[in-house]
Amino acid sequence: MTAALLAATATAALAAGCTHQHDPAQDGRGRTQAPRQPKETGSVAPVLAVKIDNAPEARPQTGLDSADVVYAEQVEGGLSRLMAVYASTLPKVVGPVRSARESDLELLRQFHRPTLAFSGAQHKLLPLINSAPLRAEPPEKAPGAYYRGTSRPAPHNLFLRPARLMSSPPGAKALTTGFHYGAAPAGGRPENTRTIRFPAAGFTFTWSAGLHRYLVAMDGRPTTTADGKRVAPATVVVQYVKVRQSAFHDFLGNNTPYTQTVGSGKAQVLRDGRVYDVNWQRGKATDGTQFTTKDGKPVDFAKGQVWVVLTKAPH
């Protein structure tokens, strides 16, 4: 019986996909905290980036449909986690919020000193987060911005109130990703459904002609928000990147994958029910990511939410 209990505990921890981290004991409810004014770089205010739990126990998430960009990345055990970036709108609540990864620091360099909301990280990673060109806002620094929900167990119940970190959304100018929006490029081929698989997670995007959006499903189940809304981006990018081992492990000894987003490679852009084979390039960390056709022309995305699935490039 003891062996069975230990095995069940290990399996549950792996499903959570977490590194050893500082989880706040307090829930922040009942505290008051004035929203912090974002520091501007030139004329651009910082975006809000939130690490969102994507374990099955964390679904349905809250506020995911309000993000301008959602990045899906691989974590320990082949599972997935999300990074939601907010610029146009700040929802009332976002979550569940979970821990940061080393890859996030490179991914976020394309934004001007973003605000990063997350719940802890591995001890050795915390100094790198604190020295990165971003505003780190975990619960220890902003306890009044977070609270623990009661409808699900910890650690899948930590939620953020974005208005307690910034008083207003920074606006579309803060999205310094290099993305272009406009008419679809020439060519492409019809494709109504695309599935991308991580070792222990899966994303499916199905084109809805009626909504003119892609309906998201994760691990074979429709993705909805906590209030029942279907998550439906206008554009989906399948970006093939290098995924290697990092110097970090979770408390079970599983290596934390490092997803490299600086460099170049192949990608596929899904919009308007068609798929386009494109190239991507990001010369240095402070650059946005450029997506171009084979003849070098920029690829425009459809106006609306963008999902970027960062998946390992085939050998």
Side-chain angles (χ1 to χ4, degrees):
M1 182 178 292
T2 300
L5 287 172
L6 288 173
T9 301
T11 301
L14 181 59
C18 60
T19 56
H20 186 63
Q21 61 188 20
H22 300 290
D23 277 330
Q26 75 284 350
D27 64 8
R29 287 176 290 183
R31 299 177 183 230
T32 58
Q33 175 174 304
R36 305 183 186 187
Q37 294 294 336
K39 294 181 180 180
E40 296 192 8
T41 303
S43 60
V44 180
V47 298
L48 172 65
V50 185
K51 283 308 298 285
I52 296 183
D53 194 349
N54 200 34
E57 300 88 345
R59 303 171 191 157
Q61 292 100 339
T62 300
L64 194 58
D65 57 324
S66 298
D68 292 88
V69 184
V70 177
Y71 293 95
E73 61 182 346
Q74 183 179 326
V75 293
E76 299 81 14
L79 296 168
S80 65
R81 191 155 291 180
L82 306 176
M83 171 81 81
V85 178
Y86 298 88
S88 303
T89 303
L90 294 179
K92 290 183 179 180
V93 176
V94 177
V97 180
R98 288 301 299 275
S99 56
R101 297 294 188 275
E102 184 186 11
S103 303
D104 302 331
L105 304 183
E106 180 177 279
L107 180 65
L108 290 175
R109 286 294 304 279
Q110 63 193 301
F111 301 101
H112 296 303
R113 298 197 67 84
T115 296
L116 174 60
F118 65 103
S119 175
Q122 191 188 63
H123 292 286
K124 294 180 181 180
L125 179 58
L126 289 173
L128 299 181
I129 295 174
N130 292 332
S131 62
L134 53 79
R135 197 182 99 198
E137 294 287 357
E140 304 90 87
K141 290 182 62 177
Y146 293 85
Y147 70 93
R148 290 277 177 187
T150 58
S151 62
R152 62 187 73 178
H156 312 290
N157 63 347
L158 182 66
F159 293 88
L160 169 72
R161 294 187 179 100
R164 297 193 179 185
L165 292 184
M166 54 179 60
S167 59
S168 60
K173 288 184 178 180
L175 295 171
T176 52
T177 55
F179 297 171
H180 298 271
Y181 299 85
R189 59 186 182 276
E191 185 171 299
N192 289 327
T193 301
R194 167 62 61 91
T195 296
I196 305 98
R197 300 191 186 281
F198 291 176
F203 298 86
T204 298
F205 301 91
T206 302
W207 174 247
S208 169
L211 295 177
H212 215 72
R213 293 288 187 272
Y214 286 90
L215 300 177
V216 182
M218 294 189 289
D219 302 328
R221 295 188 175 184
T223 301
T224 62
T225 58
D227 56 3
K229 295 180 181 177
R230 286 297 302 266
V231 177
T235 304
V236 177
V237 179
V238 184
Q239 186 175 344
Y240 296 100
V241 297
K242 292 180 180 179
V243 179
R244 58 172 173 79
Q245 290 190 340
S246 74
F248 301 96
H249 298 76
D250 67 10
F251 69 94
L252 293 176
N254 298 296
N255 186 266
T256 301
Y258 186 94
T259 300
Q260 187 173 321
T261 54
V262 171
S264 61
K266 301 294 183 181
Q268 292 180 319
V269 173
L270 284 67
R271 58 164 296 175
D272 306 322
R274 302 181 72 85
V275 59
Y276 301 85
D277 296 315
V278 304
N279 300 313
W280 70 268
Q281 183 171 7
R282 185 179 173 203
K284 58 183 183 296
T286 52
D287 292 341
T289 306
Q290 302 293 327
F291 294 92
T292 57
T293 59
K294 293 180 180 179
D295 57 3
K297 294 181 179 178
V299 174
D300 288 338
F301 296 169
K303 187 176 181 181
Q305 187 180 77
V306 178
W307 274 58
V308 181
V309 182
L310 301 166
T311 188
K312 187 175 182 179
H315 294 296

